[in-house]
Amino acid sequence: MTAWLLDPEVLHLNHGSFGATPAAVLDAQNSIRERIEANPTRFFLEGEYQEALDEARRAVAQFVGADEGGTVFVTNATAGVNSVLRSLEPALLPGDEILVTDHEYNACANAAVVSASRASAVVTTAQVPFPLEHQRDVVDAVLAAVTDRTRILLIDAVTSATGLVLPVVELAAELEPDVQVLVDAAHAPGMIDFDVAQSGASYVTANCHKWMCSAKGAAFLWVRPDRRDGLYPAVISHGYNGGWPSEGGHLHAQFDWTGTHDPSAWLTVPHALAAVEAMHPGGWPGVKAAIREMCLGGRDVLIEALGIAPPAPADMIGAIASVPLPPADNSGSAIFDPLMAALRERHGIEVPVFTWPAPPDRVLRISAHLYNRPSDYDRLAEALAAELR
């Protein structure tokens, strides 16, 4: 793990939550910060910032199949979701519906609830089964929940707790343009093949600090050309009245400057893409194939150890995968099961155990990245056997 700063005394199987940043990328971030601090006025006001930002944007857009004009940086995917929902609130009428699934990331589901309440709209929930047998189970569940009042579908490209790659392209094809599809693709870029412009969605937001391995605090939002004019950041700033001129059009003017902050995480994205690409002889295609193969192998180890059937087909798995655990009396934990702490404290393993969908049910989610090895999952299976007996 010399390319990473991860503690070698801990088995890290939770890349999915916060990512991990290669040491070389952190070195690049430090250099960027030194450049900023050498003369902040010059950097921000004399064009250095905008030039560096445009370069980073270009790298992101090329990596995810987006156009630069529709791509802006945000601090995380949750900020991207909030920006879209806040922008759409004025168009919602009382009784209109924002549809989510019961696998939706809690923070973004909360954003939907608040935006709906401001417009006297409602949030409805599609019940997607887990375990499940086919991607069509997701499509059927979501479409069954759509009504003539559904205006927005907020859906994950890869679910957080359950680790499922969802058929967002199929759903967008069924629903757009009557229902605006907002894809929370927090995990997708760098984990699976995911082309933003080909998704068919109105909006896609995703993190760069997870599978793309940038410094933390970097994410992007892409907006389809026909949806751009009315889209604003959650924080309104100088660009609203032209106070931050940008040659990149409406979105860039609104999002490129929302106040003084440390943009170094955004500017590390090209460094991260290059650093991870160099870690595998097959480049990024090789990285994605390798970590998916390792994840599927790790899932097989856990399935055998737990004596359960695969909870989802292999074509719905990227580099995170969840397995159901035996129910437990975990009613005192709102999100994380106490088993998570036991695995950390007694076995030195960082892996999330979620209370999902509600106590006493729970799932354990593994991740795989290039710093992991197949033997990591054997060690986890042994620890689980000791804790569950």
Side-chain angles (χ1 to χ4, degrees), residues 3-376:
W4 311 82
L5 298 185
L6 295 164
D7 184 351
E9 300 299 318
V10 177
L11 178 54
H12 299 273
L13 297 178
N14 191 21
H15 190 93
S17 285
F18 306 106
T21 307
V25 178
L26 294 173
D27 289 341
Q29 184 179 30
N30 287 334
S31 296
I32 292 166
R33 283 173 166 160
E34 290 175 0
R35 177 183 169 193
I36 294 171
E37 294 305 323
N39 191 330
T41 303
R42 180 183 64 199
F43 182 82
F44 286 117
L45 296 184
E46 298 299 323
E48 290 187 38
Y49 166 70
Q50 192 68 53
E51 181 179 346
L53 189 67
D54 290 342
E55 178 184 351
R57 185 188 349 257
R58 193 172 305 118
V60 170
Q62 182 177 359
F63 188 73
V64 301
D67 66 292
E68 294 174 42
T71 304
V72 292
F73 281 103
V74 288
T75 53
N76 49 55
T78 302
V81 166
N82 274 270
S83 294
V84 174
L85 292 177
R86 289 294 301 271
S87 297
L88 297 180
E89 285 175 16
L92 293 174
L93 299 175
D96 281 349
E97 297 170 358
I98 301 174
L99 176 60
V100 301
T101 78
D102 56 343
H103 294 242
E104 181 57 51
Y105 187 58
N106 181 61
C108 295
N110 287 341
V113 169
V114 172
S115 282
S117 68
R118 289 194 183 105
S120 297
V122 294
V123 173
T124 57
T125 304
Q127 305 294 323
V128 174
F130 183 77
L132 76 175
E133 297 182 354
H134 196 276
Q135 285 191 352
R136 189 70 207 181
D137 296 340
V138 181
V139 175
D140 291 344
V142 172
L143 295 183
V146 173
T147 74
D148 60 0
R149 299 303 302 271
T150 305
R151 301 292 177 258
I152 305 164
L153 169 64
L154 167 60
I155 190 162
D156 291 327
V158 183
T159 62
S160 179
T162 48
L164 299 173
V165 178
L166 298 187
V168 295
V169 174
E170 292 86 341
L171 286 166
E174 292 275 0
L175 297 174
E176 288 277 3
D178 296 329
V179 175
Q180 299 186 49
V181 176
L182 165 55
V183 178
D184 176 2
H187 293 275
M191 179 205 286
I192 61 174
D193 292 331
F194 186 77
D195 190 294
V196 165
Q198 296 300 315
S199 70
S202 291
Y203 319 93
V204 177
T205 185
N207 290 316
C208 302
H209 65 256
K210 289 186 186 278
W211 305 96
M212 292 165 65
C213 298
S214 75
K216 292 166 182 60
F220 70 87
L221 169 66
W222 175 83
V223 183
R224 204 171 64 200
D226 59 313
R227 306 292 194 194
R228 290 174 189 172
D229 285 347
L231 208 289
Y232 295 91
V235 175
I236 299 298
S237 189
H238 292 292
Y240 187 78
N241 66 349
W244 183 263
S246 173
E247 297 179 358
H250 168 77
L251 284 182
H252 293 190
Q254 303 307 313
F255 282 84
D256 283 4
W257 184 266
T258 57
T260 303
H261 73 117
D262 180 357
S264 61
W266 296 355
L267 305 184
T268 65
V269 173
H271 302 275
L273 292 175
V276 177
E277 182 179 41
M279 291 180 185
H280 194 282
W284 269 103
V287 171
K288 289 184 280 190
I291 61 179
R292 179 174 184 269
E293 180 181 0
M294 194 179 330
C295 183
L296 284 169
R299 188 181 75 147
D300 287 344
V301 168
L302 296 180
I303 285 170
E304 181 177 357
L306 294 167
I308 61 175
D315 64 359
M316 294 184 72
I317 301 300
I320 55 174
S322 291
V323 294
L325 295 177
D329 182 12
N330 54 8
S331 57
S333 175
I335 299 176
F336 296 107
D337 186 271
L339 176 59
M340 180 176 175
L343 290 169
R344 176 193 306 118
E345 294 164 6
R346 290 199 279 268
H347 304 276
I349 301 174
E350 284 287 3
V351 65
V353 182
F354 298 105
T355 300
W356 194 92
D361 295 321
R362 54 191 182 158
V363 295
L364 178 145
R365 189 193 72 193
I366 57 171
S367 299
H369 214 289
L370 295 178
Y371 52 79
N372 292 120
R373 298 292 179 267
S375 59
D376 294 348

